């Protein structure tokens, strides 16, 4: 691997990790906002932590550093682990996971975690052609 490719892959990895973190926090923030809950840092963290923990587990299990922008299989694996693990941790910590919340979380996290990868791949490919 050349030094340019190494720098590019490091930037891609950092982008993917930060985007995932920010989007999971945004998911928690939007959920709290739509239910008129407190938007304090502690409140958002309370909602986000199960999904952030599951996201971290997903990064390890799916080996996201190998292909951080891949939608299949890495992105789908990460999304499913984030949703399932986040729901499990949420329930284990004494919170609820009603069916409408599970459906919305599944769809929003799919849009966020897969969507930013799709956009980044599109932009990267387009830049390489230019």
């Amino acid at each position: 691997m050349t030094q340019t490719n190494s720098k590019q892959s490091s930037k891609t990895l950092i982008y993917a990790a930060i985007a995932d973190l920010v989007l999971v926090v945004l998911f928690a923030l939007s959920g709290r906002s739509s239910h008129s809950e407190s938007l304090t840092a502690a409140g958002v963290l309370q909602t986000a932590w199960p999904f952030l923990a599951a996201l971290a587990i997903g990064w390890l299990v799916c080996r996201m550093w190998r292909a951080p922008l891949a939608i299949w299989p890495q992105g789908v694996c990460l999304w499913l682990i984030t949703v399932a693990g986040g729901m499990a941790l949420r329930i284990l910590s004494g919170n609820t996971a009603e069916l409408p919340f599970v459906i919305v979380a599944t769809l929003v996290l799919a849009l966020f975690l897969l969507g930013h990868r799709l956009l980044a791949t599109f932009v990267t490919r387009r830049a390489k052609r230019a």
Side-chain angles (χ1 to χ4, degrees), residues 23-75:
L23 289 168
V24 169
V25 170
L26 184 61
F27 157 72
L29 186 65
S30 67
R32 292 185 67 82
S33 176
S34 68
H35 293 286
S36 301
E37 294 182 35
S38 166
L39 298 181
T40 63
V44 173
L45 185 59
Q46 178 186 1
T47 301
W49 83 261
F51 298 95
L52 290 170
L55 179 74
I57 292 165
W59 263 77
L60 294 173
V61 169
C62 303
R63 300 179 195 174
M64 292 304 295
W65 57 90
R66 290 186 172 183
L69 296 181
I71 293 173
W72 180 259
Q74 276 90 350

Side-chain angles (χ1 to χ4, degrees), residues 47-108:
T47 301
W49 83 261
F51 298 95
L52 290 170
L55 179 74
I57 292 165
W59 263 77
L60 294 173
V61 169
C62 303
R63 300 179 195 174
M64 292 304 295
W65 57 90
R66 290 186 172 183
L69 296 181
I71 293 173
W72 180 259
Q74 276 90 350
V76 172
C77 174
L78 179 66
W79 162 55
L80 294 174
I81 289 172
T82 302
V83 171
M87 291 300 167
L89 289 170
R90 185 176 164 86
I91 291 167
L92 288 171
S93 67
N95 290 308
T96 63
E98 301 293 329
L99 183 59
F101 175 67
V102 173
I103 292 169
V104 169
T106 301
L107 295 175
V108 170

